[in-house]
Amino acid sequence: MYPLGLLPVFSTLIPDSLAVAAALAIPALVLALSLYALLPRSLPLPLPPFSARPPCSHPPRSPASSPPASEDEDEDEEHDDSAAPVHLPGSSLAHILPFFHRRFDFINSGFQLAGQAVYQFSLLRTPVIVLSGEAARRDFFQAKDLDLNAGFKFLSGAIPMVPGVTSNLETRRIALIHKRLVASQTSERLASLIPQILEDSRRVISTWGYSGAIDPFQHLSELLFQTTVRCLAFQELADDPRAVARLKHLYDTLDAATTPATVLLPWWVPVPSAVRRLLATKRIYDVVGSTLDARVRGGPEAARDDTPQMLIDAGDERLVIVGFIMGLLVAGARSTGTTASWLVTFLSGHPEWREKAAEEVRRLIAAHATHLPPSCTGSSPEPTPVPLSAWEAHTPVLDAIIRETLRVAEPHEKEKKAKARTLFLGGKAVPPGAFVMYPFSDVHLSAEIYRDPWRWDPGRPELDLKAPYAYVGMGAGATVCLGKRLATLELKLVTALFALGFGELRAVDRRGAPLRELPRPNWNDVLTCRPPKGACFVRFERTAEPGLCDS
């Protein structure tokens, strides 16, 4: 049926007999060319097991005589093969499939095969350069001639793509969305969100009962998605649990439908995963767009005190508002939810750190106890009356817990695209149009920087390292996450609720038996970092009703 869908278009241009032939032949030709691009054109070279190279060890560094990192263009150096990163063999589908299914292993095996700190490979006909080491890391995070949006769009493929709404945006629209995101995180706005985040968290947690077991990678992800909808989307949606659950399901569908085909092939090639992504994206667009239209039709009487209203009042065009919400909800569906899931999992296996967090929050509340109503001064005090300034500046334990969780369980890599001229990163030439990737594992799981890097320890002295870019959680340099302030506040409030409101948090298996050791974050799962399904549950018993003391 798909080829015949083009028939009306061709019928308006050419005779019917030719129109039918064109409607059948042109999509077939496109699919044939796409298959040609995907089929192996050379046999893949045997690779060592992907786990052979320890993820925490660094590859050999570039020689000291390598050209210094520079963005200055030099015509002779552009054609100097010695300045080009070593190229991994093969560009067929057989070679690059592990990049999508086992990316952490693929990247590490690339360093082992290349024997250098910088190498390149091809995603079909697109060059991708992978960096490691202090020099390349510094150059990457300081470079101004790299396009973050283009890199993320091509190499991730896990964002709802609507031309003119979330992709193919004009520079001015991207700048405006960034400006609005910053404006949505003013101190006044964040302070007003604290009781709302806590009340949403209380409502979601209450559905779990007073005791039992949860899958932290499902339940915490749902909780953080709810709070993110509250902070960045319409109040009408945040107040409707069914609407939030539907949106979460649609974003999960986008994740599941992100395959090599959806990344490598044009969006209009009708592979099944692309169709699922298209339908999920259309439904997200409909939910957000219809809610916006109803708000605008309602006029001043329908206005709410939320982030979309700020954009409406500023006179932003519809595409900017819809794109702002659709794109930023990804953070709640993935990054922040993943961090919260692992944070609670780690606390369930380290009760001493849960008690340290609880004690810190109790001290905060004690410092502001004069503002507490009498009903909130019992043995399990509530964190709501604590002002924003205290949450942000006086919680070193919570900061350390979040920071260490991001280090161990954030399987990200920053992807950018080189713009108009050749630049040098880590002493290697990056030509215009090439995609550049820096995996966070290079620094966060480095045994040269962090002792026993897979061990979760918020008290480790290495977290105070002053070395440049020794820690890049939530970005660094010119590419810091613009939503960092809001995400950190959400994580601190949720951590406080779990520290104070639960008498028991214990990691158990599916039978309820305590785990002897916590599962290791799966860095091959680049979206959620989840361990094998059913590998870990958290048994809990609540001792207080979180979020009752609204200020």
Side-chain angles (χ1 to χ4, degrees):
M1 293 302 293
Y2 177 80
L4 296 181
L6 297 176
L7 183 58
V9 177
F10 293 121
S11 296
T12 62
L13 303 174
I14 54 179
D16 288 346
S17 58
L18 294 177
V20 172
L24 292 170
I26 291 180
L29 178 61
V30 170
L31 288 174
L33 291 173
S34 301
L35 288 173
Y36 168 75
L38 288 173
L39 288 175
R41 291 181 293 282
S42 61
L43 292 176
L45 297 179
L47 296 178
F50 282 123
S51 59
R53 175 180 177 265
C56 55
S57 63
H58 283 288
R61 296 292 184 251
S62 298
S65 58
S66 297
S70 170
E71 294 188 18
D72 296 332
E73 193 170 5
D74 187 299
E75 239 173 84
D76 294 332
E77 287 180 316
E78 283 186 24
H79 303 286
D80 182 3
D81 290 340
S82 65
V86 64
H87 204 301
L88 296 186
S91 60
S92 68
L93 185 62
H95 291 91
I96 63 178
L97 270 180
F99 175 80
F100 297 97
H101 300 308
R102 303 194 310 277
R103 186 169 301 184
F104 177 67
D105 292 339
F106 175 90
I107 289 173
N108 286 333
S109 289
F111 285 121
Q112 186 178 34
L113 286 170
Q116 296 187 20
V118 180
Y119 69 86
Q120 63 177 312
F121 67 97
S122 295
L123 282 179
L124 299 184
R125 291 172 172 81
T126 303
V128 179
I129 296 172
V130 187
L131 309 174
S132 70
E134 184 176 328
R137 179 166 65 248
R138 180 192 63 243
D139 295 342
F140 178 82
F141 283 108
Q142 292 180 352
K144 299 178 181 178
D145 213 15
L146 292 170
D147 187 338
L148 176 62
N149 295 309
F152 181 80
K153 174 187 173 183
F154 177 74
L155 291 175
S156 171
I159 188 171
M161 292 298 175
V162 181
V165 179
T166 59
S167 66
N168 302 329
L169 294 174
E170 301 173 8
T171 302
R172 65 176 183 86
R173 283 183 177 168
I174 294 175
L176 181 58
I177 288 175
H178 290 174
K179 180 180 178 181
R180 296 295 184 240
L181 178 56
V182 172
S184 69
Q185 298 174 94
T186 63
S187 295
E188 180 182 5
R189 177 64 184 154
L190 291 181
S192 71
L193 285 173
I194 290 176
Q196 298 178 53
I197 293 171
L198 288 170
E199 175 56 26
D200 274 353
S201 300
R202 180 205 63 80
R203 178 168 56 80
V204 172
I205 290 173
S206 68
T207 65
W208 304 346
Y210 279 92
S211 62
I214 60 170
D215 178 349
F217 303 97
Q218 174 187 337
H219 290 78
L220 269 296
S221 179
E222 293 170 352
L223 191 159
L224 267 294
F225 187 73
Q226 167 67 51
T227 61
T228 303
V229 171
R230 173 70 63 190
C231 296
L232 296 174
F234 298 95
Q235 282 191 14
E236 299 92 315
L237 294 177
D239 290 339
D240 185 350
R242 287 183 296 181
V244 173
R246 174 172 168 74
L247 279 174
K248 180 66 167 61
H249 172 73
L250 291 172
Y251 276 98
D252 289 344
T253 300
L254 283 177
D255 286 349
T258 299
T259 66
T262 60
V263 175
L264 297 174
L265 298 179
W267 65 270
W268 43 264
V269 177
V271 294
S273 55
V275 174
R276 291 198 303 272
R277 281 179 55 82
L278 181 62
L279 291 174
T281 299
K282 173 63 165 58
R283 287 163 183 161
I284 295 171
Y285 179 88
D286 288 343
V287 171
V288 175
S290 61
T291 308
L292 171 61
D293 293 340
R295 175 78 68 87
V296 173
R297 284 195 307 268
E301 294 79 12
R304 303 283 190 95
D305 183 18
D306 56 20
T307 299
Q309 190 65 46
M310 178 185 69
L311 277 65
I312 294 171
D313 293 343
D316 292 342
E317 53 189 312
R318 186 178 189 273
L319 293 182
V320 169
I321 300 174
V322 174
F324 176 93
I325 296 170
M326 288 183 65
L328 293 178
L329 287 183
V330 173
R334 302 191 192 111
S335 298
T336 314
T338 295
T339 303
S341 299
W342 276 107
L343 192 154
V344 170
T345 299
F346 287 134
L347 290 180
S348 72
H350 298 272
E352 72 281 8
W353 279 103
R354 183 163 69 91
E355 181 53 38
K356 289 180 181 180
E359 184 57 34
E360 179 171 83
V361 178
R362 291 189 191 103
R363 287 197 301 269
L364 283 181
I365 295 173
H368 302 276
T370 56
H371 304 292
L372 283 169
S375 60
C376 296
T377 57
S379 59
S380 295
E382 297 295 336
T384 306
V386 178
L388 175 67
S389 58
W391 284 115
E392 292 190 325
H394 303 296
T395 53
V397 173
L398 297 183
D399 286 329
I401 288 173
I402 293 171
R403 182 182 171 98
E404 179 71 344
T405 301
L406 288 170
R407 184 191 68 80
V408 176
E410 187 182 37
H412 293 175
E413 63 275 331
K414 284 291 182 186
E415 305 108 351
K416 300 182 182 182
K417 182 179 181 180
K419 294 182 181 178
R421 59 178 180 173
T422 297
L423 62 152
F424 285 86
L425 303 177
K428 295 296 182 180
V430 177
F435 290 90
V436 187
M437 171 183 293
Y438 177 75
F440 285 13
S441 58
D442 171 64
V443 60
H444 286 172
L445 298 181
S446 170
E448 297 175 10
I449 300 175
Y450 297 100
R451 182 179 303 172
D452 190 6
W454 284 105
R455 179 171 54 89
W456 186 82
D457 178 12
R460 62 169 66 241
E462 301 98 315
L463 290 180
D464 295 324
L465 285 172
K466 303 301 181 184
Y469 306 112
Y471 175 82
V472 295
M474 292 196 184
T479 54
V480 175
C481 172
L482 292 178
K484 178 179 180 179
R485 195 178 182 194
L486 172 59
T488 302
L489 178 63
E490 288 184 87
L491 291 170
K492 286 185 177 182
L493 294 175
V494 169
T495 305
L497 290 177
F498 273 83
L500 293 182
F502 288 77
E504 179 188 30
L505 281 178
R506 183 183 294 255
V508 297
D509 61 20
R510 62 174 64 252
R511 297 186 303 273
L515 292 177
R516 285 193 284 184
E517 63 179 9
L518 295 176
R520 174 177 289 189
N522 177 17
W523 280 61
N524 280 317
D525 181 354
V526 296
L527 292 179
T528 62
C529 200
R530 295 185 180 188
K533 188 173 180 61
C536 177
F537 297 87
V538 173
R539 189 169 66 209
F540 70 91
E541 182 176 340
R542 290 162 55 202
T543 58
E545 187 72 11
L548 290 178
C549 304
D550 296 336
S551 59

